[in-house]
Amino acid sequence: MANFRSYIWDPVLIVCQIVLMQCIYYSFLGLWLAGVDGLVQSSRSLDQIFSYEVLGFATLQGRLSMMAFILNSLTCALGLWFFIRRGKQCLDFTVTVHFFHMICCWIYNSHLPAALSWWLVNVACVALMAVIGEYLCMRTELRAIPVNSGPKSNL
């Protein structure tokens, strides 16, 4: 059941939603990468999440990691639908999640990403997550409001 929110500025709610979306992002990315690693019997590492060099077209592991990032954007779009529930806010939360991911990668690697594949994958993930999340949220927002068609009483 969808609740209609007021448009009152609620910074606590926004911060909680940002933290929740960040948790969803890293939790499901970890699960997708673990599944990919299980397919090719590869070792798990934080490099798969934060290193720029892992995402690439040259190796099977790089292509599978890119696939995990793409699948994670679909999972996160569901997170937007379940927890944010506002089509107008999907792009904001998507960019925020990926901005914080870029900051974490920057801290992990001690420099900004120089790999073109990292930028391409993340731009594609932002686009997928935002568009699919917005589509799902808008579909829910625009759902017809049921009108009681029972007998009417004169008041």
Side-chain angles (χ1 to χ4, degrees):
M1 180 168 152
N3 294 334
F4 293 100
R5 279 192 224 150
S6 63
Y7 294 99
I8 297 173
W9 171 254
D10 189 356
V12 174
L13 174 65
I14 293 170
V15 169
C16 289
Q17 288 174 321
I18 289 170
V19 169
L20 176 64
M21 286 306 301
Q22 210 69 43
C23 290
I24 290 169
Y25 180 82
Y26 286 119
S27 298
F28 282 98
L29 181 58
L31 289 174
W32 284 116
L33 286 168
V36 164
D37 291 342
L39 288 175
V40 294
Q41 281 77 38
S42 176
S43 62
R44 291 161 187 81
S45 168
L46 280 179
D47 283 350
Q48 292 177 291
I49 296 173
F50 298 113
S51 179
Y52 308 133
E53 288 77 27
V54 171
L55 296 175
F57 298 101
T59 65
L60 176 63
Q61 184 63 37
R63 289 190 298 271
L64 289 173
S65 293
M66 290 192 315
M67 182 182 73
F69 272 83
I70 297 295
L71 290 170
N72 189 51
S73 65
L74 303 177
T75 309
C76 288
L78 292 174
L80 290 171
W81 183 40
F82 284 127
F83 300 111
I84 305 304
R85 305 194 66 81
R86 302 276 307 162
K88 290 168 56 173
Q89 295 176 336
C90 286
L91 180 62
D92 298 339
F93 280 95
T94 300
V95 170
T96 302
V97 164
H98 285 84
F99 176 75
F100 284 128
H101 176 62
M102 184 183 75
I103 297 298
C104 291
C105 290
W106 187 3
I107 291 168
Y108 186 82
N109 293 287
S110 302
H111 60 85
L112 278 173
L116 178 63
S117 58
W118 187 89
W119 287 103
L120 291 174
V121 167
N122 280 283
V123 166
C125 288
V126 166
L128 277 172
M129 183 176 160
V131 169
I132 294 170
E134 190 169 328
Y135 170 76
L136 293 171
C137 290
M138 299 262 306
R139 204 179 79 183
T140 302
E141 288 174 357
L142 297 175
R143 189 180 302 150
I145 298 172
V147 178
N148 188 3
S149 60
K152 297 185 181 6
S153 61
N154 283 334
L155 296 175

